[in-house]
Amino acid sequence: MPTTMMSIYAQDLDRNPANHAPLTPLSLIARTAEVWPGQVSVIHGRRRFTWAETYRRSRRLASALARSGVGKDDTVAVMLANTPEMVEVHFGVPMAGAVLNTLNTRLDAEAIAFMLGHGEAKVLVTDTEFAPVVRGALSKLAAKPLVIDVADPEGPAANDPSARLGATDYETFLDGGDPDYDWRPPADEWDAISLNYTSGTTGNPKGVVYHHRGAYLNALSNIVDWGMPRHSVYLWTLPMFHCNGWCFPWTMAANAGTNVCLRRVEAKAMLDAIREHRVTHYCGAPIVHSMLINAPDGLRLGIAHQVSGLVAAAAPPAAMIEGMERIGFDITHVYGLTETYGPASVCAKQAAWSDLDIGARTERNGRQGVRYTVEEGMAVMDPETMTPVPRDGETMGEIVFRGNITMKGYLKNSKATAEAFAGGWFHTGDLAVLQPDGYVKIRDRSKDVIISGGENISSLEVEDVLYRHPAVLAVAVVAQPDPRWGETPRAFVELKPGSSVTPDELNAHCRAHLASYKVPRGYEFCELPKTSTGKIQKFVLRERAKSTSAIE
């Protein structure tokens, strides 16, 4: 019998500390603090830090946590705004071997209590602004975490003694830590680095677990896929609690850039920061960009440098993309989910698009695009057969991902994890087509498709038309029960300040651009309910449409 021969490349060529190290974003801040120690890392109001100082403060935090008994795989929850402390916990918590759980500051006490209990938080770092909600959440817990207060000088409750819930405050806690703490990278890059809860619309949210490898890779891919120059100046309009700020706390460490913190996302505050600090980059949902488009022209005076924005949504309105181009901002569309560390695909721009008219460029730039550099697979498939759809721009399937920036799974929920990874791919629930050039274009969320008289209506298509009306600031189209057709579209419309329009006028606008069966059968003018990241909460509107239908 032939003897099995060992490959020549397997002989005495083993992994060792000289040729292999676990990937972790913690290495990014260590390098930047060494190479650019004096570079400004964080700006927040009157406070300024350099990368050397942020690194020392993060190590102090890690040391203080370790001295408090926090170790490997312990959960440290944080209820923080976009402040320097929120940047520091992204490094200090995993330096202690612990797992960072960033909590959504818009949630109520019951939801926060569930997350603290489900994640078994050992420590809670909380901004005094959120004391009322946190106090209510803690009252619901049998086992309470160690609470540390952050009194941000820029916050509304910095000097309110009644907002202090903890055993100590953040700065005092840091004083008990070692700025030269000898942290170690994880023994395994698959170790958990963070826990992020989905904003589920029914039942309890699911806990999405990230690992060090994915956080490291997506942090770098943000730079590559956005083409960020070294020392970029990044404005925090995106909440850092959302998918760990799409991994940008770690990205900015790799970039040796500057984090400009912002507690309130308002047009004037954003534009003032962009002008004062010469901000080069920012991220946000469509509503954030729309604030800038619709801001008075005078607020944009003095901003002459190039500003780049990332927009993420299932399908950003074409009118928003076009509007940003008209005011001189360069917008790139990315797409992803909590389960993919934030962005996992990008509408990679082609040089030839610059020769197209603005409408054609907007159409190209509004697609979900192609996989991120570090994501191994993105496809549109029939979710039952797992067969790829043809590149015809017509056949719908589900967007699926696989690769290193896909979550480890859902905490304590093996059933949901198995369902999400059925067939060896992560299932997004988003319905899309694959266009001839290989770019993905979302048609709708599977739950948002309106089936009227047997015909499928894309709510996104109807919304895109309504967004083009000059009076419309924001819009959401959902299914409304109909005794004859089963379902018909209903539009909830938020108008621009000072604008007015009638349902008949909107109806005429839609009829000029849509097949008659796609035109909404009703319009309601209101302020749209939104999540903390600016996404419109369609599930709330679906319930309202049901009750409206019953009344009508």
Side-chain angles (χ1 to χ4, degrees), residues 288-311:
V288 174
H289 303 278
S290 294
M291 287 181 188
L292 301 180
I293 296 170
N294 295 298
D297 291 341
L299 292 182
R300 292 194 292 270
L301 289 176
I303 300 175
H305 64 282
Q306 180 66 67
V307 181
S308 298
L310 283 189
V311 60

Side-chain angles (χ1 to χ4, degrees), residues 111-371:
I112 295 298
F114 168 79
M115 293 173 184
L116 292 174
H118 185 261
E120 301 178 29
K122 197 166 186 176
V123 176
L124 170 62
V125 182
T126 179
D127 191 296
T128 51
E129 178 182 358
F130 311 123
V133 171
V134 172
R135 183 181 289 112
L138 293 172
S139 70
K140 301 176 185 295
L141 296 177
K144 295 178 174 54
L146 168 69
V147 178
I148 301 168
D149 290 313
V150 171
D152 175 23
E154 304 295 321
N159 301 312
D160 181 1
S162 68
R164 303 297 178 99
L165 306 178
T168 185
D169 67 86
Y170 186 83
E171 293 300 327
T172 302
F173 189 70
L174 255 59
D175 287 342
D178 180 1
D180 298 315
Y181 178 66
D182 188 21
W183 63 272
R184 290 282 186 270
D188 187 343
E189 59 190 17
W190 181 251
D191 284 354
I193 189 171
S194 65
L195 170 66
N196 291 279
Y197 282 92
T198 62
S199 53
T201 58
T202 56
N204 289 321
K206 298 189 286 290
V208 176
V209 182
Y210 294 174
H211 49 69
H212 282 253
R213 177 182 178 84
Y216 175 92
L217 291 171
N218 217 30
L220 296 182
S221 205
N222 283 334
I223 295 174
V224 173
D225 288 307
W226 205 4
M228 296 181 74
R230 178 81 69 188
H231 306 313
S232 295
V233 181
Y234 181 87
L235 179 63
W236 276 105
T237 53
L238 176 76
M240 274 185 254
F241 67 66
H242 180 53
C243 309
N244 297 111
W246 300 353
C247 294
F248 271 92
W250 301 310
T251 293
M252 294 312 294
N255 182 263
T258 300
N259 297 278
V260 179
C261 294
L262 195 65
R263 286 189 73 101
R264 296 285 183 271
V265 180
E266 299 166 342
K268 185 178 186 305
M270 290 173 63
L271 291 167
D272 285 349
I274 289 171
R275 182 186 304 104
E276 179 182 356
H277 304 298
R278 290 191 62 81
V279 166
T280 59
H281 295 75
Y282 72 99
C283 300
I287 190 65
V288 174
H289 303 278
S290 294
M291 287 181 188
L292 301 180
I293 296 170
N294 295 298
D297 291 341
L299 292 182
R300 292 194 292 270
L301 289 176
I303 300 175
H305 64 282
Q306 180 66 67
V307 181
S308 298
L310 283 189
V311 60
M320 184 278 298
I321 296 177
E322 186 173 314
M324 293 306 289
E325 180 172 336
R326 292 192 187 281
I327 66 171
F329 283 42
D330 181 61
I331 297 298
T332 299
H333 179 214
V334 292
Y335 161 74
L337 304 92
T338 302
E339 289 87 344
T340 60
Y341 295 69
S345 77
V346 58
C347 189
K349 296 178 181 178
Q350 303 287 339
W353 297 355
S354 61
D355 297 328
L356 302 174
D357 62 56
I358 190 169
R361 285 199 307 276
T362 296
E363 185 278 325
R364 300 291 195 285
N365 289 322
R367 299 179 294 174
Q368 285 57 54
V370 295
R371 63 185 173 90

Side-chain angles (χ1 to χ4, degrees), residues 386-425:
M386 298 305 289
T387 303
V389 302
R391 290 188 175 195
D392 59 7
E394 296 292 336
T395 307
M396 283 212 296
E398 181 183 21
I399 299 177
V400 291
F401 286 107
R402 61 161 43 145
N404 293 303
I405 55 170
T406 304
M407 65 171 180
K408 293 185 70 166
Y410 297 115
L411 184 69
K412 302 177 183 177
N413 196 336
S414 57
K415 181 177 182 291
T417 299
E419 290 173 352
F421 292 150
W425 292 80

Side-chain angles (χ1 to χ4, degrees), residues 393-522:
E394 296 292 336
T395 307
M396 283 212 296
E398 181 183 21
I399 299 177
V400 291
F401 286 107
R402 61 161 43 145
N404 293 303
I405 55 170
T406 304
M407 65 171 180
K408 293 185 70 166
Y410 297 115
L411 184 69
K412 302 177 183 177
N413 196 336
S414 57
K415 181 177 182 291
T417 299
E419 290 173 352
F421 292 150
W425 292 80
F426 168 66
H427 293 251
T428 67
D430 283 324
L431 301 179
V433 297
L434 192 61
Q435 297 189 322
D437 61 359
Y439 279 54
V440 171
K441 174 65 177 177
I442 284 183
R443 290 297 188 222
D444 223 332
R445 291 286 295 176
S446 57
K447 61 188 176 186
D448 292 337
V449 172
I450 301 164
I451 304 175
S452 184
E455 297 287 347
N456 287 352
I457 300 173
S458 166
S459 65
L460 300 179
E461 180 186 2
V462 183
E463 289 165 5
D464 205 41
V465 168
L466 284 165
Y467 266 111
R468 288 190 171 278
H469 192 282
V472 173
L473 174 65
V475 63
V477 174
V478 300
Q480 174 178 274
D482 184 273
R484 180 181 181 186
W485 302 108
E487 295 177 337
T488 54
R490 184 174 187 83
F492 292 85
V493 180
E494 187 172 334
L495 298 179
K496 294 176 182 177
S499 296
S500 64
V501 68
T502 67
D504 286 344
E505 289 170 333
L506 288 180
N507 222 38
H509 173 75
C510 288
R511 286 188 178 279
H513 300 282
L514 293 168
S516 59
Y517 72 92
K518 296 181 181 180
V519 174
R521 297 301 193 268

